Amino acid sequence: MKVLVTGAAGFIGFHTANALLARGDEVVGLDNLNDYYDVNLKRARLEILKKQPAFRFVKRDLADRLGVAELFAHERFDRVVHLGAQAGVRYSIENPFSYVDSSLVGTLTVLEGCRHNEVKHLVYASTSSVYGMNTHMPFSVHQNVDHPLSLYAATKKSNELMAHTYASLYGLPVTGLRFFTVYGPYGRPDMALFIFTKKILAGEPIDVFNYGNHRRDFTYVGDIVEGVVRSLDHVATSNPKWNSDDPDPGTSVAPYRLYNIGNQRPVDLMKYIALLEQHLGREAQKNLLPLQLGDVPDTWADVEDLVADVGYRPETPVEEGIKRFVDWYAEYYNVQL
């Protein structure tokens, strides 16, 4: 197939494009290469992708309505994996307008491109952050998610609503994937594992929020990508049992589906740090701080719908995933452990 991957220079986009290329798909990667974090890391990911003849890169902003429309019309993609957006929960508090431009306007240009060019399936990234004030664990796609705690989460929930609208109006099959705390090689420098590693190696204290009482469903990037690719192949369909008197948020009479992709094994943050210390061979100095604005204490994914429909369950243990990240970090940054 010819597949568009937006955010292809990003963490998950890079790994997803790599997986699609490895199985023989033609991939067009789109990214605006913004400087939210080290652009050199994004370029390093792209250099790996560019070595493969079935990959082409297009530098373009998703909010460029005309540019994105021209790309869709020219390329005639079979399917689209929409991963491009402004990342980060806390940055959405500092710079809210960038989330409107990338997540709302950017997703609309993608939906319009799919609608007008007979794209057979759109898979897009959502987030566990949409669960917001929910406390019933594990989080299920069948729960209501109308109480987000950050603009980042609110824009992702908006993406799900926008996707449903296009599925309903135009019969566009859409699948939304709620990712749970993704980590692994070539990860984002603004995320905890990357920050902790860098500071521990430099002998600097790490900030541990909520006094270390977080529990997170840390999910290895390889498991996320496997879920993305399998979902792309499993085209969304309508739920014939959907009932407006008891509406199911995870399905619809339209060709619309939502799935969680998480490891299903919440890990205490302090254990996560201890495993990192073990693999780095160094002890962290911990600066214990209160819960950050916009953050949630715990996450835990119910992935049974993903298993039933797509046939996949994430399985990489956090012990193995952290080791793979540390090995990559040491090689990439030439660090002796």
Side-chain angles (χ1 to χ4, degrees):
M1 297 184 294
K2 180 189 280 192
V3 183
L4 171 66
V5 176
T6 71
F11 174 33
I12 301 173
F14 157 68
H15 285 285
T16 300
N18 229 357
L20 292 170
L21 290 164
R23 73 174 196 172
D25 289 332
E26 178 185 351
V27 176
V28 176
L30 180 149
D31 205 292
N32 67 357
L33 296 178
N34 69 36
D35 61 358
Y36 169 66
Y37 64 79
D38 183 11
V39 176
N40 290 323
L41 181 57
K42 297 180 181 182
R43 294 190 186 282
R45 296 174 185 140
L46 280 178
E47 286 307 309
I48 293 171
L49 295 174
K50 286 178 178 178
K51 292 176 182 177
Q52 303 183 64
F55 178 80
R56 283 179 292 116
F57 175 64
V58 175
K59 184 179 180 184
R60 195 158 299 174
D61 197 299
L62 284 168
D64 176 0
R65 301 179 190 181
L66 180 60
V68 173
E70 289 176 346
L71 179 68
F72 270 88
H74 176 71
E75 297 288 352
R76 310 296 296 185
F77 302 110
D78 296 305
R79 300 187 186 184
V80 174
V81 181
H82 176 40
L83 304 172
Q86 176 60 56
V89 172
R90 278 157 292 285
Y91 189 63
S92 69
I93 297 171
E94 303 168 21
N95 193 358
F97 287 101
S98 66
Y99 290 77
V100 172
D101 293 338
S102 68
S103 290
L104 299 186
V105 177
T107 295
L108 183 58
T109 63
V110 170
L111 286 166
E112 280 287 282
C114 292
R115 167 199 171 190
H116 289 293
N117 296 281
E118 300 178 352
V119 170
K120 298 177 180 65
H121 192 199
L122 167 64
V123 171
Y124 65 95
S126 187
T127 172
S128 62
S129 294
V130 299
Y131 289 103
M133 294 179 71
N134 288 23
T135 56
H136 181 76
M137 301 279 179
F139 292 148
S140 167
V141 294
H142 305 294
Q143 295 174 3
N144 180 286
V145 289
D146 284 339
H147 298 87
L149 293 174
S150 66
L151 184 68
Y152 169 71
T155 59
K156 290 297 190 181
K157 171 63 188 294
S158 299
N159 289 167
E160 295 177 2
L161 297 174
M162 293 162 70
H164 182 271
T165 301
Y166 272 67
S168 179
L169 286 173
Y170 309 114
L172 171 66
V174 294
T175 297
L177 302 176
R178 293 174 178 170
F179 300 149
F180 281 68
T181 316
V182 191
Y183 72 99
Y186 283 95
R188 283 184 8 224
D190 64 319
M191 295 193 73
L193 184 60
F194 207 112
I195 294 171
F196 289 167
T197 300
K198 184 177 180 179
K199 290 196 170 187
I200 291 170
L201 289 173
E204 299 173 2
I206 62 173
D207 290 339
V208 181
F209 293 98
N210 201 30
Y211 305 105
N213 294 318
H214 279 311
R215 295 178 78 231
R216 285 284 181 270
D217 208 343
F218 295 103
T219 310
Y220 185 67
V221 66
D223 289 339
I224 292 287
V225 168
E226 184 71 20
V228 171
V229 173
R230 291 199 187 201
S231 296
L232 186 67
D233 291 342
H234 185 85
V235 179
T237 58
S238 65
N239 176 7
K241 297 181 180 179
W242 196 86
N243 181 359
S244 61
D245 292 330
D246 184 22
D248 172 16
T251 66
S252 175
V253 291
Y256 170 88
R257 294 286 164 148
L258 288 172
Y259 300 110
N260 291 329
I261 306 185
N263 205 39
Q264 285 192 117
R265 302 177 187 89
V267 175
D268 292 334
L269 179 58
M270 297 305 280
K271 178 183 177 182
Y272 192 69
I273 294 170
L275 288 168
L276 179 58
E277 291 173 320
Q278 175 186 323
H279 289 297
L280 291 174
R282 293 166 172 80
E283 187 174 348
Q285 305 170 50
K286 302 173 188 70
N287 183 23
L288 301 180
L289 297 168
L291 186 68
Q292 291 186 100
L293 193 65
D295 213 347
V296 297
D298 304 310
T299 63
W300 179 7
D302 178 342
V303 301
E304 294 311 310
D305 282 52
L306 184 73
V307 176
D309 293 353
V310 181
Y312 182 66
R313 185 188 301 276
E315 57 187 20
T316 304
V318 69
E319 293 83 357
E320 177 62 26
I322 289 177
K323 180 182 184 302
R324 292 178 190 174
F325 172 81
V326 170
D327 289 346
W328 167 79
Y329 189 99
E331 180 181 0
Y332 185 82
Y333 289 102
N334 195 25
V335 174
Q336 294 296 320
L337 299 178

